[in-house]
Amino acid sequence: MEFDVIVIGAGPAGSAAALTAAKGGAKVLLLEKGPEPGSKNVSGAMIRTEEIAKVFDTSSMPFERKVKNVDLIFMDSTGKVRISVDISSGLINVGRLKLDKWMAQQAEKAGAVLVTKTTALGVEKDGEKYKVVTDRGSISGSKVVLAEGVNALISMGMKIRPDLEPEHSVQAVKEVYNLNKDEINKRLGFKSDEEGSSWRIFGTNPVPYAGFLYTYKDAIAIGVGIPMSILIKKKISPYTVLDELKERLGINELVKGGSLREYSAKVIPEQGFPSYRACSGKIYLAGDSIGLINALTFNGIGPAVISGSIAGKAALEGYECFKYEEELMKDKEIKGVVKARPLIQELTKEENLNYYVNFLGDALHSWAYGSLSLNLDMPRLIKHLMLGMGVLKA
Ligand SMILES: Cc1cc2nc3c(=O)[nH]c(=O)nc-3n(C[C@H](O)[C@H](O)[C@H](O)COP(=O)(O)OP(=O)(O)OC[C@H]3O[C@@H](n4cnc5c(N)ncnc54)[C@H](O)[C@@H]3O)c2cc1C
């Protein structure tokens, strides 16, 4: 059997690519190594419905809770500062198993053929076409979309993109605790089963890190991400950092009586397109496989969906590489990811993470005590401001 487009990976990027190509009339195969889409995924997650709605019909999108507040928490060695941002609409907490399954179903409804429990092992040129070699045999296609996520073994094996270096990656670990929904509502002060919350946590002890908390209907997810280079330098395990965060934030009390349902780890890429190529011949890369994640806003699913859809269109129309990369760069979200990268690389350095968490903690504490004192490091602040505005390159 032959396909016009073979998509490798049924995550948000892959399903968006398959949906777009199938809607355009292509014969599409969507390959997933997990027993079902989402079964291999680790992310939180909080998503912005507006971004997903650019590609998927979100009227039936499964969600866990609607985010009513995003809390920013800064914890330095002496105390913590919490800022709560009220949210009126548009942000939701989702479980990846349900979300990824739903996205793949939309691709199937548009005509794509989803095959699970199948791992793509490589892609070989076969005349004008491509042969995708899997653990269950080979299949031929005219175009290929590689949406294999951060562990982009095929793209790296084919030398389309380089390996991810420790200084360009963050190690994330996450735990999910089952807890009765009434208990979640009571403990977090929600007025209904639909209300939810997202926390963004920045801390310095035992090493600088960024953490998160998301609420599901009947579970709480808590996790932490630490720059890989810091973990290597300090020889510390990410779980030690997560345990410290849980202790200091009272998470153990929050999930008391609950049971641990999931314990997982994954890498978050902080480098990628356009430093990496996003294409080779008629093979198009999308999502985490080319590092399209905005660590400033904790947003990877939105850029994955958008880049996946652009890859699906590229495969449908057989774009040349320059045209695909041009289309990616034209998109506002993708441009935002690329623009944020130099600043993210600076902010994830140990000395800078330490400085900002301490700076905000000290400034707000001293303000609360009525004696505002600011530890202003003007050269650092100006440099980061200019990086953020894109005036300065890293
Ligand atoms: C702890 C954590 C928390 C996060 N929280 C958020 C959040 O709150 N909001 C947000 O927007 N983003 C979040 N992210 C980022 C987000 O998860 C990713 O950016 C997003 O999942 C990228 O989508 P993708 O489709 O590119 O890759 P993935 O979601 O990784 O999907 C890749 C798919 O390809 C399959 N696959 C891989 N290789 C093969 C192969 N050879 N053959 C067949 N199938 C294959 C995998 O099984 C998987 O299903 C978080 C990430 C982590 C690690």
Side-chain angles (χ1 to χ4, degrees):
M1 200 181 210
E2 279 208 10
F3 287 88
D4 299 322
V5 181
I6 301 178
V7 180
I8 298 174
S15 289
L19 171 68
T20 306
K23 260 187 175 171
K27 205 167 151 194
V28 180
L29 174 67
L30 176 57
L31 288 178
E32 169 56 44
K33 67 180 175 187
E36 51 189 340
S39 54
K40 296 269 177 195
N41 272 306
V42 162
S43 96
M46 182 179 84
I47 58 171
R48 292 146 183 87
T49 37
E50 196 184 85
E51 287 174 349
I52 312 299
K54 286 183 183 163
V55 178
F56 294 92
D57 169 10
T58 51
S59 58
S60 60
M61 182 162 69
F63 70 92
E64 293 289 328
R65 288 179 183 259
K66 294 180 181 162
V67 175
K68 292 287 166 201
N69 59 290
V70 176
D71 284 7
L72 291 170
I73 302 167
F74 300 94
M75 292 198 293
D76 62 16
S77 45
T78 51
K80 65 173 178 282
V81 168
R82 187 174 197 131
I83 301 166
S84 194
V85 184
D86 283 354
I87 303 295
S88 53
S89 63
L91 297 184
I92 55 173
N93 286 154
V94 290
R96 287 297 299 273
L97 189 56
K98 285 185 199 152
L99 182 80
D100 288 21
K101 226 160 138 178
W102 169 84
M103 285 179 169
Q105 275 164 1
Q106 287 217 3
E108 281 185 288
K109 275 186 199 148
V113 176
L114 169 70
V115 177
T116 56
K117 296 184 198 157
T118 306
T119 303
L121 303 172
V123 179
E124 294 166 10
K125 192 95 181 79
D126 186 15
E128 287 301 296
K129 297 182 187 281
Y130 293 99
K131 186 166 85 176
V132 174
V133 182
T134 81
D135 56 353
R136 296 173 59 200
S138 300
I139 193 113
S140 173
S142 308
K143 326 271 167 31
V144 175
V145 174
L146 285 175
E148 44 183 347
V150 65
N151 297 323
L153 297 178
I154 297 177
S155 327
M156 292 192 286
M158 295 179 80
K159 307 264 180 257
I160 302 174
R161 52 151 290 181
D163 286 2
L164 202 56
E165 301 292 336
E167 59 270 25
H168 293 143
S169 44
V170 164
Q171 178 64 57
V173 288
K174 185 184 111 183
E175 292 178 351
V176 181
Y177 289 89
N178 281 331
L179 198 62
N180 176 290
K181 67 177 170 22
D182 296 330
E183 276 303 314
I184 293 182
N185 296 344
K186 195 168 90 192
R187 295 180 193 190
L188 284 154
F190 299 148
K191 292 189 192 76
S192 76
D193 295 349
E194 282 209 343
E195 262 188 35
S197 178
S198 288
W199 300 1
R200 304 301 194 207
I201 311 146
F202 300 91
T204 54
N205 197 26
V207 290
Y209 62 83
F212 60 85
L213 178 142
Y214 299 117
T215 50
Y216 300 163
K217 273 195 181 64
D218 55 0
I220 288 177
I222 176 97
V224 71
I226 308 116
M228 195 85 89
S229 49
I230 296 181
L231 289 174
I232 294 171
K233 193 171 132 202
K234 301 277 170 163
K235 296 192 173 58
I236 197 164
S237 132
Y239 292 107
T240 313
V241 185
L242 183 57
D243 285 345
E244 169 73 19
L245 177 158
K246 279 163 46 194
E247 182 63 35
R248 283 200 62 197
L249 261 184
I251 302 297
N252 295 329
E253 271 304 301
L254 186 68
V255 297
K256 200 170 176 179
S259 59
L260 184 63
R261 122 169 150 206
E262 194 184 309
Y263 196 61
S264 47
K266 200 173 173 192
V267 168
I268 297 177
E270 294 201 331
Q271 183 57 285
F273 173 77
S275 300
Y276 304 170
R277 294 304 307 266
C279 175
S280 169
K282 297 287 157 59
I283 303 175
Y284 310 94
L285 279 61
D288 269 14
S289 70
I290 41 169
L292 293 178
I293 176 166
N294 190 334
L296 271 187
T297 52
F298 287 58
N299 186 12
I301 297 172
V305 164
I306 289 162
S307 60
S309 176
I310 299 172
K313 181 143 191 282
L316 182 69
E317 302 197 353
Y319 285 175
E320 297 298 334
C321 279
F322 78 91
K323 167 94 172 144
Y324 174 54
E325 293 178 343
E326 207 172 77
E327 290 300 308
L328 282 177
M329 279 308 278
K330 268 191 209 159
D331 183 86
K332 197 172 122 256
E333 299 301 331
I334 310 292
K335 243 195 257 174
V337 172
V338 172
K339 207 174 144 203
R341 250 191 227 126
L343 180 60
I344 291 165
Q345 266 160 36
E346 270 290 305
L347 295 183
T348 48
K349 286 182 184 157
E350 189 179 1
E351 64 276 16
N352 290 328
L353 265 172
N354 270 331
Y355 170 75
Y356 282 109
V357 175
N358 286 318
F359 169 74
L360 284 160
D362 290 348
L364 290 162
H365 271 120
S366 63
W367 171 78
Y369 282 110
S371 61
L372 184 60
S373 92
L374 297 176
N375 167 24
L376 289 176
D377 178 345
M378 287 317 278
R380 188 192 315 250
L381 290 167
I382 291 170
K383 180 182 175 191
H384 294 160
L385 194 64
M386 286 168 79
L387 276 172
M389 287 162 48
V391 180
L392 198 68
K393 301 274 175 254

